[in-house]
Every structure is written in structure tokens, then in C-alpha cells.
């Protein structure tokens, strides 16, 4: 019996000694593995995973914050502090197991570790969005028929499509709001005049020719929708005065020709909408549609009543922002 007890004690002691002699990596808890920190200058440090979160490591001495990778002692050949060197074949020189300058991974490029710079704002490419500018447009003008009563006679005047040209210095208060002063010139020729149902057309002896000129000067406001691209939609309005000048060549009842003219300043307002496209920095291409309304288009020496005058224009033009 005594011999059996001695044998058991000897086996237990042998087992304990074998466990202590085992590789420390075997006894290491898998919940706290070894990891490697690689700095931008090539420095490598092996630490436990639990050490990573204890302090912020910005790597001031090694060119920046490190990368964290899994540690494989068989590949890296770096010995963590406090642990023995991994087993190597007897034929391999000890010096070959030590990290040298030739075995160190080449330092990462500083450009690769720097954060990618934010792309330039699109508005930087399109010129100043605030400040002074100058806008000019040209297009076709459609004058609505003028009708009304004068001395008991009902008359209607129709017009041919004409031309409109305008220029507007402006100031962009913000990228979505601007104010300006617009001066325009419009010309439409008379197509026909009808009085109490009797119509005379242009070129007829009773109506040789006729022209209507309008020069509105308006204080404008404009609202545009800021975008990150070159296209911006806008709408706006203006108020001011409109100088009307009409000239009609006709004849008296006895056949003698005479010219009838009328001119007067009138109150007017305008609505506009359209789109602009930035061609290059500070230079925009505009396409717009405008409606000019003259609520009281009576001319000089007229005593009758006329309906409001509307002139519609489709224009294209350019704007330069200083």
C-alpha cells in the first residue's frame, strides 16, 4: 500500500512540473491575446490587448498613431518583454532570430497615413457668390393686344413679335438673394388696329405703319436656390416705371396723312423666372422668362379706358460676378 501512495505522489509532481515547463503561450488566456503595434516609422511593439485601451497612443515619437495587428511570434520574430524567445532550430544562428534593419518592415509613406484632404468646395470653382455683378439679356418680346374705349369707340391694337434688351447691375447679398436695378428696351411693331369692328392692317392706306417702344426701369429682387453644382434656378420680381412711346402713321377722313404719337410714364411691375449655368468662375449663362405689366397704359391726351398691358419676353444672356 505504501508503494502505491509513493507512486501516485511522484506522478502528480511530474505532471505539475510539465505544466510549468510548457510554453507560456499555452497558458495565456485567449481573452487577452498578444497584439502588435506598428508605427509609421517602422517601430514595432508587442503588448497585450488589454493594454490598448488604457491610454491614448498618438505615437508622437514614431511619426503618428500605430496600426494594430494580430501578433504571430512564428512570423514576426519579436519577443514580448518578459517572455522567453520562441524555439528555433538548432542549426539556425541566434543572430538570425534577432530583428535587424533589413528585417524591419519599411516605414509607411507619410502621405498614406495623412488624412485625405477634403475636396475643394464646388462654390470655390464657380466664383464669388456674394458681391457686385452685371447681368445682360436679349430675347424676343411678345406684346399682348391693347384694347379699350376712347370717345365711345371700342378699339383693339395687335402687335408683331419684337425684341427686348436689358442690362442690370446687381448685388448678391447672399448666395440665394440679390437686388439690382434693371433698365430694358422693348420694341414691337403694330400689326393691325380695329375700331368698332373695322380693321386696318399694317401697310393699308388707313394704317401705314406703327410702333410701340417701352423703356422700363425697375428695382429688382431675385431669389435663387443654392446648389453644389453649376445649375441654379431662380425667380424674382421688380417694380418701377415704364416709359411708353407709340407712333402710328395714318390718314384723315379726307385722305391727308398724319402721324399720331403718344408718350407717357406709367407705373409697372415685373415677374421673372429662369435658370443660370456657371460656365467658368464668376461667369453665368442665363435663360429667363419675364412678364412686364403696365396696369394703366393710357397715353398722352387719351381720355378713354384701356385694359392693362402685358409684355412677355423669353431671353438669354450672361452675368459676371466680380
Amino acid at each position: 500500500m505504501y508503494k502505491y501512495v509513493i507512486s501516485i505522489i511522484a506522478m502528480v509532481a511530474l505532471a505539475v512540473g510539465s505544466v510549468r515547463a510548457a510554453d507560456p503561450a499555452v497558458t495565456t488566456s485567449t481573452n487577452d491575446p498578444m497584439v502588435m503595434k506598428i508605427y509609421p516609422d517602422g517601430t514595432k511593439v508587442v503588448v497585450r490587448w488589454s493594454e490598448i485601451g488604457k491610454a491614448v497612443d498618438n505615437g508622437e515619437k514614431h511619426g503618428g498613431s500605430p496600426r494594430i495587428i494580430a501578433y504571430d511570434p512564428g512570423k514576426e520574430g519579436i519577443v514580448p518583454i518578459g517572455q522567453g524567445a520562441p524555439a528555433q532550430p538548432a542549426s539556425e544562428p541566434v543572430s538570425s532570430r534577432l530583428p535587424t534593419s533589413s528585417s524591419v518592415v519599411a516605414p509607411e509613406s507619410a502621405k498614406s497615413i495623412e488624412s485625405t484632404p477634403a475636396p475643394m468646395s464646388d462654390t470655390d470653382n464657380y466664383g464669388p457668390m456674394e458681391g457686385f455683378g452685371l447681368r445682360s439679356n436679349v430675347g424676343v418680346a411678345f406684346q399682348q393686344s391693347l384694347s379699350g374705349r376712347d370717345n365711345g369707340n371700342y378699339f383693339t391694337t395687335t402687335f408683331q413679335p419684337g425684341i427686348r434688351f436689358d442690362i442690370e447691375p446687381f448685388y448678391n447679398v447672399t448666395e440665394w438673394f440679390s437686388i439690382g436695378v434693371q433698365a430694358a428696351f422693348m420694341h414691337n411693331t403694330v400689326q393691325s388696329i380695329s375700331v368698332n369692328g373695322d380693321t386696318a392692317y399694317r401697310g393699308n392706306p388707313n394704317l401705314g405703319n406703327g410702333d410701340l417702344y417701352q423703356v422700363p426701369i425697375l428695382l429688382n429682387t431675385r431669389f435663387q436656390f443654392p446648389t453644389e453644382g453649376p445649375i441654379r434656378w431662380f425667380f424674382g420680381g421688380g417694380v418701377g416705371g415704364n416709359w411708353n412711346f407709340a407712333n402710328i402713321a395714318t390718314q384723315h377722313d379726307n385722305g391727308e396723312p398724319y402721324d399720331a404719337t403718344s408718350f407717357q410714364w406709367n407705373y409697372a411691375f415685373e415677374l421673372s423666372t429662369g435658370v443660370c449655368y456657371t460656365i467658368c468662375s464668376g461667369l453665368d449663362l442665363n435663360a429667363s422668362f419675364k412678364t412686364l405689366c403696365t396696369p394703366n397704359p393710357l397715353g398722352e391726351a387719351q381720355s378713354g379706358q384701356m385694359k392693362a398691358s402685358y409684355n412677355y419676353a423669353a431671353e438669354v444672356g450672361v452675368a459676371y460676378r466680380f
Side-chain angles (χ1 to χ4, degrees):
M1 182 65 181
Y2 175 76
K3 294 181 179 181
Y4 289 108
V5 173
I6 296 301
S7 300
I8 293 173
I9 293 174
M11 294 175 63
V12 170
L14 181 61
V16 171
S18 300
V19 171
R20 291 181 177 178
D23 188 349
V26 177
T27 61
T28 301
S29 172
T30 58
N31 293 330
D32 193 13
M34 305 298 292
V35 295
M36 178 180 291
K37 299 196 294 184
I38 302 179
Y39 293 88
D41 63 357
T43 302
K44 299 179 181 179
V45 177
V46 177
V47 296
R48 293 202 178 274
W49 176 255
S50 60
E51 299 294 328
I52 297 298
K54 290 183 178 181
V56 177
D57 186 0
N58 294 323
E60 293 86 351
K61 298 181 179 181
H62 303 291
S65 301
R67 293 188 296 112
I68 309 297
I69 65 172
Y71 171 63
D72 186 350
K75 293 182 179 180
E76 302 297 340
I78 298 177
V79 181
I81 297 175
Q83 296 191 17
Q88 297 291 336
S91 59
E92 183 180 357
V94 176
S95 60
S96 66
R97 292 187 277 111
L98 300 177
T100 63
S101 59
S102 61
S103 64
V104 175
V105 178
E108 299 180 33
S109 172
K111 294 182 180 180
S112 65
I113 63 175
E114 293 179 356
S115 58
T116 304
M120 182 180 294
S121 173
D122 287 335
T123 56
D124 293 340
N125 299 328
Y126 303 142
M129 303 307 294
E130 299 178 3
F132 288 98
L134 182 65
R135 186 179 296 116
S136 179
N137 298 280
V138 64
V140 59
F142 302 91
Q143 175 63 44
Q144 187 187 45
S145 299
L146 295 177
S147 60
R149 291 184 179 275
D150 187 23
N151 296 324
N153 298 316
Y154 181 80
F155 65 90
T156 300
T157 305
T158 61
F159 301 88
Q160 295 178 347
I163 188 172
R164 170 169 173 156
F165 170 79
D166 54 56
I167 187 169
E168 179 183 358
F170 64 91
Y171 182 80
N172 282 329
V173 182
T174 68
E175 62 179 344
W176 57 268
F177 173 72
S178 69
I179 57 176
V181 178
Q182 173 189 275
F185 172 81
M186 292 175 286
H187 171 241
N188 294 88
T189 57
V190 175
Q191 174 67 24
S192 66
I193 295 180
S194 177
V195 180
N196 295 330
D198 295 329
T199 303
Y201 292 93
R202 183 180 180 86
N204 187 286
N206 294 328
L207 176 60
N209 56 68
D211 299 278
L212 174 63
Y213 301 91
Q214 301 182 76
V215 182
I217 299 177
L218 308 172
L219 177 64
N220 276 352
T221 60
R222 176 166 167 170
F223 299 87
Q224 60 188 14
F225 302 96
T227 65
E228 295 183 355
I231 298 177
R232 296 183 301 280
W233 297 91
F234 65 86
F235 68 92
V239 62
N242 184 18
W243 187 73
N244 301 117
F245 177 83
N247 179 41
I248 298 177
T250 182
Q251 63 182 11
H252 291 285
D253 293 338
N254 59 8
E256 293 183 2
Y258 76 96
D259 290 337
T261 61
S262 175
F263 54 89
Q264 183 173 326
W265 277 99
N266 297 285
Y267 160 74
F269 65 89
E270 182 177 84
L271 299 176
S272 63
T273 185
V275 61
C276 66
Y277 179 85
T278 300
I279 303 173
C280 60
S281 179
L283 183 62
D284 301 330
L285 177 65
N286 297 289
S288 59
F289 180 81
K290 300 176 180 177
T291 300
L292 178 70
C293 176
T294 306
N296 182 26
L298 282 175
E300 182 186 26
Q302 283 186 303
S303 59
Q305 295 180 350
M306 292 181 63
K307 296 181 179 179
S309 169
Y310 292 92
N311 188 282
Y312 308 99
E315 295 183 296
V316 295
V318 294
Y320 182 73
R321 291 173 275 112
F322 301 106

